[in-house]
């Protein structure tokens, strides 16, 4: 079975013979089962078929010849899929005097035959005829589809759409350098188009499109081979063809069409062999694709065995190639000789070059790592064996590569994920309560036995106790050795996980989400000795600081003046973030420095805190806060001294934060306290610090609630600065009377900010940070395109949580972004309940009914449920009228209703997972423009 083509032909022949015998005995052909025409086409018996339309025979055939006629469309489909062009076909178009050309084949009734004719023209080099016929094909198909019933099958409907998507390739020449460039550019555009439509295309619709694309690329490869193209020309065309096959295989596997994926691989291998491109790296890569298909199809043991066998072969081959290269028998500087010119397979001659050896090394690393991951999922080997034989070997091979590749980041991420998982599992085993209790019990028994031996005076009893003592000593010694080995393993996996995460984040942006795992490992093992050895000076320098910006809250919270490796690493990282991204980082540092500035108005909270903690805990907490504040001050001083620009930025942010703190704690004049929220403008006091800021406004004061993008380090072009500040503030209502401040930015936008005092906003900031993280994970996982193609295309936005900026300035004050054009749910219901439920009880009456039942201790749970259901019956849903009022056309109504559904679903899930309480109707806002929550 090494010769795949012969094995496949033999299998098809056996299936054809079996099907013919069954048919002659009177069995009928199933519409979705095995078809004789397809088999005979695959065997090359093409001249025996007659081009007869599907509509010509209205009943089942009664002979083999009739079966072939009945299945003519399948035969033509198999012919162009196999690139067999010896089937007789009706001309696609016929010239007529004065009328141009007219279609002789209907692309709707006979799509496979029409596609065959088109591709046959392209294969024969009739480019002008192919291009014009493709245009005529699309015009006729569109006209027929517009005036007739829909296509009988989705596959037929997309068969002529395939021609529309791939039409540029029909007329793309490959015989000249300029035409070759045009073909490669067109192929790249087509591949991007197919990749973009892959998620929305049904599986049966995608199949003909990918097949046509592969056939066109195979024709181009054959033309380049026949012309004798060498060097980059032939390599570029074959690379495009290989990428088209890879995309088709991925799409087929996603649709669970395993046989189609294997067929694509067989075609690529056969084409590569015919033109001499089946070299040292292609064959192993095809084996890897085959194993991946088998793995996803459920044949996991076979997939692992295939890669294991090929892994051993490649290890021996690469070892011999390295020996030859080191001995000078190979020309390391020479490029790979184009196999098209020699028509010899490099695998047969074992002609290695240094570039080819490097590519083979990368592929070997992929194979080893894939086997390791699969074996780990199947629990085939112990973690130590998996690490030594697969993951560590893959890392060693990657270190031999001079420059990182696209696979390097993927391999490092897999390596880090495995090490992290082992570290977490081993730590859980070490800290298991039952295991720890058994160890302690044995230690107590050993100590008790030693004391008993010291007290006893009987020789016989002492001898018996010494025997017990020896057994206990052996057990305790074994436990200590096992614990030491466990700690050593945890330390090794911890160091490897941190190293792999750092290298992965440093070489690629494809796995930026693993920064959370990295920081979690460091925070969890802050006091571990293994971490102290792993975090050497500059350990995080390889990672761009922008990747830690979403975790600036957590990093700044761990600042301290302690001089251990953990705190020094955190200090160095936060300092680098403040230098490169000051408008993202300095607010948090100033908040730590000013943490106790506004506490004079919050003595009650301080007393309550002391009441809930012991005096020793309060004292230790205050010391930690002092060390954190000192560390933040030291970082600000260090950053300000590095350049005049950073010093100016630090001064501007300091002035802004100080002004906001003074405004937050400033009492509201008595004459404005009873005014309605938002009605009157309260002027600033002339002695207020913000009044001085307004009079002499520096040009680099940033808008506090407008977080700029994290582009290149020290790039402030996208930072909006304050252009003007209103001469006063309005009140938002509530117990603490938060203040609404209005600002105009240099970007022309108007900003409203809510300045709150006597309120700790740090928890709100953490919740918004978690929402940002959830949005990031949903974007990276493709959750935004979940659901049907119709919903995905009609929804104005993807799945996301609506967020706003929260900037804590001290422990007891901060600034929030004001969300415009929103209203509370409760406000809308109260204003509409009389209009849409005129005869129903009011919301206040229904709430009172539920509250009375809830207070009654004699009411059972079943009675409470009955009251709740009765209240729900008396208050039918009315929020659908919100969409009628806000969105007048059908498209807007549908799109915004879908947006509301998505927003409500994500908000509910996130709120439940994070345990967010206090979700009442007045505390949930709905956007009147987008219907988001």
């Amino acid at each position: 079975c090494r010769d795949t083509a012969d094995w496949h032909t033999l299998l098809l022949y056996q299936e054809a013979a079996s099907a013919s015998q069954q048919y002659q005995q009177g069995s009928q052909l199933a519409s979705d089962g095995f078809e004789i025409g397809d088999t005979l086409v695959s065997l090359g018996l093409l001249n025996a078929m007659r081009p007869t339309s599907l509509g010509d025979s209205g009943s089942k055939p009664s002979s083999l010849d009739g079966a072939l006629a009945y299945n003519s469309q399948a035969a033509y489909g198999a012919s162009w899929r196999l690139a067999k062009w010896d089937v007789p076909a009706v001309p696609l178009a016929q010239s007529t005097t004065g009328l141009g050309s007219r279609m002789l084949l209907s692309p709707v009734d006979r799509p496979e035959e029409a596609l065959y004719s088109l591709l046959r023209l392209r294969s024969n080099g009739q480019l002008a005829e192919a291009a014009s016929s493709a245009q005529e094909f699309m015009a006729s198909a569109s006209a027929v589809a517009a005036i007739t019933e829909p296509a009988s099958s989705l596959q037929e409907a997309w068969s002529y759409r395939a021609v529309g998507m791939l039409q540029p390739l029909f007329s793309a020449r490959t015989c000249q350098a300029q035409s070759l460039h045009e073909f490669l550019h067109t192929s790249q555009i087509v591949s991007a188009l197919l990749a973009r439509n892959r998620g929305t295309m049904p599986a049966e619709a995608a199949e003909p499109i990918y097949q046509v694309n592969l056939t066109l690329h195979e024709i181009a490869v054959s033309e380049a081979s026949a012309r004798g193209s060498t060097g980059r020309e032939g390599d570029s065309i074959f690379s495009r063809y290989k990428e088209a096959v890879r995309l088709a295989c991925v799409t087929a596997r996603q649709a669970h069409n395993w046989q189609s994926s294997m067929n694509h691989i067989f075609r690529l291998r056969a084409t590569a062999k015919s033109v001499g491109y089946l070299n040292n790296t292609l064959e192993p890569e095809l084996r890897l694709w085959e194993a991946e298909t088998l793995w996803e199809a459920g044949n996991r043991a076979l997939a692992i065995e295939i890669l294991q066998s090929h892994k051993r072969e490649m290890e021996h081959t690469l070892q011999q190639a390295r020996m030859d290269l080191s001995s000078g028998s190979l020309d390391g500087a020479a490029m790979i000789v184009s196999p098209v010119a020699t028509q010899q397979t490099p695998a047969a001659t074992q002609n290695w070059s240094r570039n080819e050896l490097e590519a083979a090394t990368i592929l070997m690393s992929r194979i080893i790592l894939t086997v390791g991951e699969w074996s780990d999922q199947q629990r085939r080997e112990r973690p130590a064996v998996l690490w030594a034989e697969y993951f560590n070997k893959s890392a060693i091979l990657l270190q031999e590569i001079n420059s990182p590749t696209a696979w390097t980041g993927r391999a490092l991420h897999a390596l880090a994920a495995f090490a992290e998982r082992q570290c977490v599992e081993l730590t859980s085993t070490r800290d298991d309560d039952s295991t720890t209790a058994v160890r302690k019990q044995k230690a107590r028994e050993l100590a008790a036995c030693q004391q008993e031996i010291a007290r006893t005076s009987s020789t016989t009893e002492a001898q018996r106790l010494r025997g017990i003592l020896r057994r206990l000593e052996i057990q305790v010694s074994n436990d200590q050795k096992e614990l030491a080995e466990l700690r050593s393993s945890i330390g090794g996996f911890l160091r490897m996980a941190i190293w792999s995460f750092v290298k992965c984040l440093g070489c690629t942006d494809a796995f930026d989400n693993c920064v959370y795992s990295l920081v979690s490992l460091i925070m969890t093992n802050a006091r571990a000795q293994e971490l102290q050895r792993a975090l050497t000076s500059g350990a995080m320098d390889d990672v761009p600081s922008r990747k830690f910006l979403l975790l600036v809250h957590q990093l700044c919270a761990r600042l301290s003046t302690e001089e251990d490796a953990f705190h020094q690493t955190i200090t160095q990282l936060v300092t680098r973030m403040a230098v490169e991204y000051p408008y993202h980082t300095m607010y948090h540092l100033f908040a730590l420095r000013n943490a106790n500035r506004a506490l004079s108005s919050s003595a009650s909270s301080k007393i309550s805190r002391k009441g809930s903690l012991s005096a020793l805990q309060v004292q230790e907490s205050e010391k930690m806060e002092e060390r954190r504040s000192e560390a933040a001050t030291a970082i600000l001083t260090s950053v300000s001294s590095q350049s005049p620009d950073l010093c100016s930025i630090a001064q501007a942010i300091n002035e802004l934060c100080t002004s906001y703190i003074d405004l937050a704690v400033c009492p509201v004049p008595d004459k404005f306290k009873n005014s309605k929220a938002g009605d009157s403008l309260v002027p600033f006091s002339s002695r207020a610090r913000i009044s001085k800021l307004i009079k002499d406004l520096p040009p680099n004061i940033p808008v506090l609630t407008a977080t700029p993008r994290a582009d290149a380090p020290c790039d402030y072009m996208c930072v909006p600065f304050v252009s003007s500040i209103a001469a006063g503030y309005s009140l938002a209502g509530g117990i603490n009377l938060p203040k609404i401040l209005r600002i105009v930015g240099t970007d022309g936008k108007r900003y409203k900010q809510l300045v709150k005092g006597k309120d700790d906003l740090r928890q709100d900031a953490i919740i918004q940070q978690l929402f940002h993280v959830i949005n990031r994970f949903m974007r990276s996982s493709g959750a935004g395109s979940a659901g049907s193609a119709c919903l995905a295309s009609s929804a104005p936005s993807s799945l996301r949580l609506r967020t706003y900026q929260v900037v804590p300035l001290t422990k007891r004050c901060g600034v929030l972004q004001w969300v415009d054009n929103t209203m509370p749910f409760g406000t809308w219901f109260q204003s509409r309940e009389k209009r849409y439920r005129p005869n129903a009880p009011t919301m206040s009456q229904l709430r009172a009914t539920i509250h009375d039942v809830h207070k009654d201790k004699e009411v059972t749970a079943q009675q409470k449920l009955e009251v709740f259901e009765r209240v729900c019956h008396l208050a039918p849903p009315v929020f659908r009228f919100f969409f009628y009022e806000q969105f007048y056309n059908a498209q807007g109504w549908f799109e915004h209703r879908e947006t509301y559904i998505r927003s409500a679903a994500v908000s509910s899930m996130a709120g439940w997972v994070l345990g967010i309480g206090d979700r009442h109707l007045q505390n949930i806002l709905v956007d009147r423009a987008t219907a988001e929550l």
Side-chain angles (χ1 to χ4, degrees):
C1 292
R2 279 195 176 275
D3 192 342
T4 308
D6 292 344
W7 171 80
H8 195 232
T9 301
L10 177 62
L11 180 61
L12 288 173
Y13 175 77
Q14 292 175 348
E15 290 180 347
S18 175
S20 296
Q21 184 178 4
Q22 291 179 6
Y23 190 83
Q24 290 173 1
Q25 293 175 356
S27 61
Q28 294 183 345
L29 291 173
S31 60
D32 58 346
F34 182 80
E35 294 183 351
I36 299 175
D38 293 339
T39 303
L40 296 181
V41 169
S42 302
L43 289 172
L45 305 178
L46 306 174
N47 294 323
M49 299 190 306
R50 302 175 183 175
T52 305
S53 174
L54 284 174
D56 293 342
S57 58
S59 60
K60 294 293 182 181
S62 57
S63 64
L64 182 59
D65 185 69
L68 293 176
Y70 182 77
N71 294 308
S72 63
Q73 288 303 302
Y76 281 111
S79 298
W80 67 258
R81 284 172 174 83
L82 293 171
K84 303 295 184 182
W85 312 113
D86 52 349
V87 182
V90 176
L92 191 64
Q94 179 175 329
S95 298
T96 56
T97 304
L99 296 177
S101 60
R102 61 183 182 88
M103 293 293 296
L104 298 182
L105 294 177
S106 170
V108 176
D109 296 336
R110 301 161 70 178
E112 301 289 359
E113 188 174 356
L115 276 175
Y116 172 81
S117 300
L118 273 176
L119 293 169
R120 188 182 185 185
L121 288 174
R122 179 63 184 83
S123 176
N124 293 335
Q126 299 171 280
L127 301 178
E129 294 83 350
S132 61
S133 297
Q135 295 177 357
E136 183 70 22
F137 182 95
M138 283 301 299
S140 176
S142 302
V144 172
I147 62 176
T148 60
E149 294 294 326
S152 58
S153 71
L154 191 58
Q155 183 169 349
E156 291 178 359
W158 278 75
S159 291
Y160 61 82
R161 183 171 178 181
V163 180
M165 297 180 69
L166 307 175
Q167 185 175 345
L169 288 177
F170 279 93
S171 58
R173 298 175 178 269
T174 59
C175 58
Q176 299 175 358
Q178 184 177 1
S179 301
L180 173 63
H181 177 75
E182 178 187 354
F183 175 82
L184 295 176
H185 180 67
T186 304
S187 173
Q188 185 177 7
I189 294 176
V190 168
S191 298
L193 182 63
L194 292 176
R196 187 167 61 249
N197 287 273
R198 186 174 60 192
T200 59
M201 246 189 285
E204 61 272 24
E207 189 270 341
I209 296 180
Y210 284 101
Q211 291 285 2
V212 172
N213 187 38
L214 295 184
T215 302
L216 289 171
H217 279 79
E218 287 175 358
I219 293 172
V221 170
S222 300
E223 289 177 350
S225 176
R227 194 174 62 252
S229 297
T230 59
R232 295 183 178 180
E233 291 185 8
D235 294 344
S236 299
I237 295 176
F238 189 81
S239 297
R240 291 295 182 195
Y241 171 52
K242 176 183 168 184
E243 177 62 23
V245 173
R246 187 197 64 81
L247 184 62
C249 288
V250 171
T251 305
R253 292 203 301 265
Q254 289 178 347
H256 296 177
N257 192 350
W258 322 118
Q259 186 58 50
S260 180
S261 177
M262 297 297 285
N263 290 342
H264 296 327
I265 299 172
F266 291 154
R267 289 179 62 179
L268 175 57
R269 179 183 283 111
T271 303
K273 188 175 182 180
S274 64
V275 298
Y277 270 94
L278 196 61
N279 55 19
N280 296 320
T281 55
L282 181 58
E283 178 60 30
E285 191 168 7
L286 295 183
R287 295 280 186 91
L288 179 59
W289 292 0
E290 290 174 348
E292 289 173 345
T293 302
L294 291 172
W295 175 267
E296 295 184 18
N299 299 322
R300 303 196 165 179
L302 179 58
I304 293 177
E305 290 301 327
I306 288 176
L307 287 189
Q308 285 277 26
S309 175
H310 199 60
K311 168 180 165 290
R312 290 189 290 267
E313 295 177 6
M314 281 199 68
E315 284 177 344
H316 176 73
T317 305
L318 285 177
Q319 183 179 5
Q320 185 63 38
R322 291 192 186 97
M323 292 174 59
D324 295 340
L325 192 62
S326 61
S327 64
S329 59
L330 296 179
D331 184 9
M335 297 295 292
I336 304 175
V337 179
S338 177
V340 178
T342 61
Q343 293 298 317
Q344 293 179 356
T345 305
T349 61
Q350 293 298 319
N351 235 351
W352 291 85
S353 73
R354 191 177 299 277
N355 292 338
E356 189 178 7
L357 180 61
E358 183 172 318
T361 302
I362 296 174
L363 185 58
M364 183 64 186
S365 172
R366 290 179 57 186
I367 292 175
I368 292 177
L369 190 60
T370 301
V371 175
E373 288 181 311
W374 290 353
S375 300
D376 182 31
Q377 293 182 29
Q378 296 294 106
R379 304 296 186 188
R380 292 169 62 97
E381 303 282 355
R382 293 183 295 107
V385 176
L386 290 173
W387 175 257
E389 293 296 326
Y390 302 105
F391 291 95
N392 194 33
K393 281 187 177 180
S394 178
I396 293 173
L397 287 172
L398 288 176
Q399 292 177 357
E400 298 178 4
I401 308 302
N402 296 328
S403 58
T405 62
W407 169 253
T408 305
R410 165 72 178 84
L412 288 170
H413 181 263
L415 186 68
F418 174 78
E420 179 198 20
R421 186 165 59 253
Q422 297 304 320
C423 182
V424 172
E425 291 178 359
L426 293 176
T427 303
S428 177
T429 302
R430 182 195 63 184
D431 300 337
D432 183 66
D433 293 338
S434 59
T435 306
T436 304
V438 170
R439 288 199 208 101
K440 292 181 178 179
Q441 179 61 28
K442 290 180 181 179
R444 287 194 294 266
E445 291 178 0
L446 178 62
C449 186
Q450 291 173 342
Q451 294 175 2
E452 190 65 23
I453 291 175
R455 287 196 301 265
T456 185
S457 58
S458 172
T459 305
T460 305
E461 181 66 16
Q463 186 176 3
R464 185 183 69 83
L465 291 175
R466 288 191 187 95
I468 297 175
L469 180 64
R470 283 193 294 271
R471 290 194 296 271
L472 287 174
E473 288 175 343
I474 293 174
Q475 293 177 3
V476 172
S477 176
N478 291 337
D479 288 345
Q480 291 176 349
K481 291 180 181 178
E482 181 181 356
L483 185 60
E485 292 177 358
L486 195 60
R487 288 172 177 169
S488 177
S489 299
I490 292 173
F493 283 121
L494 177 62
R495 290 192 298 273
M496 182 51 64
I498 292 176
W499 178 86
S500 302
F501 277 133
V502 168
K503 295 299 181 182
C504 177
L505 290 168
C507 73
T508 181
D509 294 337
F511 301 97
D512 283 356
N513 287 337
C514 69
V515 69
Y516 305 114
S517 300
L518 172 61
V519 174
S520 176
L521 276 177
I522 294 175
M523 298 290 187
T524 305
N525 301 276
R527 299 297 179 182
Q529 295 181 355
E530 296 83 0
L531 184 71
Q532 306 297 328
R533 292 194 292 268
L535 294 179
T536 57
S537 179
M540 299 293 176
D541 290 349
D542 292 339
V543 184
S545 60
R546 60 179 172 79
K547 299 189 178 185
F548 294 97
L549 290 179
L550 270 180
L551 296 170
V552 63
H553 290 282
Q554 287 72 22
L555 294 173
C556 289
R558 292 301 186 101
L559 288 174
S560 178
T561 56
E562 299 179 37
E563 296 183 355
D564 57 280
F566 168 75
H567 289 99
Q568 288 181 353
T569 300
I570 297 298
T571 300
Q572 293 172 3
L573 179 58
V574 174
T575 302
R576 186 155 59 95
M577 294 165 61
V579 170
E580 297 177 352
Y581 299 96
Y583 292 106
H584 296 77
T585 310
M586 283 191 177
Y587 302 123
H588 307 279
L589 296 175
F590 279 108
L592 293 178
R593 195 186 72 171
N594 301 325
N596 298 320
R597 181 160 185 164
L599 286 184
S600 59
S601 60
S602 56
S604 60
S605 66
K606 195 171 183 180
I607 294 174
S608 64
R609 181 184 177 189
K610 287 186 176 182
S612 60
L613 300 176
S614 65
L616 184 61
Q617 289 175 324
V618 171
Q619 185 178 4
E620 182 63 26
S621 176
E622 290 177 351
K623 289 182 178 179
M624 291 177 60
E625 291 176 357
E626 291 177 2
R627 290 194 292 266
R628 192 180 302 122
S629 178
E630 293 175 3
T633 303
I635 292 175
L636 288 171
T637 303
S638 173
V639 171
S640 300
S641 63
Q642 292 195 19
S643 69
D645 290 339
L646 289 173
C647 181
S648 176
I649 292 173
Q651 292 176 356
I653 294 178
N654 180 40
E655 184 66 26
L656 182 66
C657 292
T658 305
S659 301
Y660 274 116
I661 293 172
D662 291 347
L663 178 62
V665 300
C666 177
V668 179
D670 295 337
K671 63 178 180 178
F672 294 103
K673 286 184 178 180
N674 297 325
S675 60
K676 192 175 180 181
D679 280 354
S680 57
L681 189 68
V682 182
F684 295 120
S685 170
S686 59
R687 293 175 297 178
R689 192 154 187 161
I690 195 169
S691 298
K692 301 177 182 178
L693 182 66
I694 294 174
K695 291 180 181 179
D696 187 15
L697 188 64
N700 58 346
I701 294 290
V703 178
L704 194 62
T705 54
T707 302
R709 300 189 310 271
D711 295 332
C714 304
D715 182 8
Y716 313 132
M717 295 298 295
C718 60
V719 178
F721 297 100
V722 176
S723 177
S724 63
I725 304 176
Y729 60 86
S730 56
L731 300 177
I735 299 177
N736 295 324
L737 295 177
K739 306 171 181 67
I740 302 175
L741 192 64
R742 292 169 175 82
I743 292 175
V744 178
T746 54
D747 55 356
K749 297 180 180 179
R750 297 181 180 273
Y751 297 89
K752 292 174 68 176
Q753 299 171 345
L754 189 66
V755 184
K756 301 186 71 173
K758 302 180 183 180
D759 197 357
D760 190 355
L761 298 182
R762 291 176 295 179
Q763 186 175 2
D764 298 65
I766 296 298
I767 292 297
Q768 292 302 313
Q769 178 199 24
L770 287 173
F771 285 174
H772 280 289
V773 173
I774 292 173
N775 287 339
R776 184 171 177 176
F777 273 105
M778 285 193 295
R779 285 195 303 268
S780 62
S781 63
S785 59
S788 65
C790 177
L791 294 183
S793 61
S794 61
S797 61
S798 60
L799 290 177
R800 67 166 186 169
L801 287 163
R802 185 73 176 270
T803 59
Y804 54 89
Q805 294 296 325
V806 180
V807 184
L809 299 176
T810 69
K811 292 181 181 179
R812 300 294 295 169
C813 69
V815 180
L816 294 90
Q817 176 187 357
W818 184 272
V819 185
D820 284 317
N821 204 25
T822 59
M823 64 184 305
F825 260 113
T827 301
W828 188 89
F829 282 119
Q830 290 173 0
S831 63
R832 301 301 194 277
E833 60 180 350
K834 289 299 182 182
R835 180 188 304 177
Y836 299 124
R837 293 197 302 232
N839 300 323
T842 63
M843 292 178 60
S844 302
Q845 295 172 341
L846 296 175
R847 188 182 301 112
T849 301
I850 294 178
H851 184 67
D852 294 340
V853 175
H854 177 69
K855 290 193 303 182
D856 193 346
K857 297 182 179 180
E858 297 181 358
V859 177
T860 64
Q862 181 63 31
Q863 291 174 332
K864 291 181 180 179
L865 177 61
E866 293 175 356
V867 172
F868 175 75
E869 291 177 345
R870 185 168 66 251
V871 167
C872 291
H873 179 72
L874 293 174
V878 296
F879 192 64
R880 64 182 182 276
F881 295 104
F882 169 84
F883 299 95
Y884 297 146
E885 293 176 358
Q886 298 293 327
F887 314 108
Y888 303 111
N889 58 65
Q891 180 181 357
W893 172 84
F894 177 79
E895 290 181 353
H896 291 90
R897 191 189 67 163
E898 295 299 325
T899 301
Y900 169 75
I901 292 172
R902 291 166 178 263
S903 180
V906 178
S907 301
S908 301
M909 290 186 290
W912 185 84
V913 170
L914 299 177
I916 301 175
D918 196 26
R919 298 295 91 187
H920 52 80
L921 293 182
Q922 292 298 135
N923 209 3
I924 301 177
L925 303 180
V926 57
D927 193 318
R928 285 177 287 192
T930 65
E932 288 181 295
L933 298 184

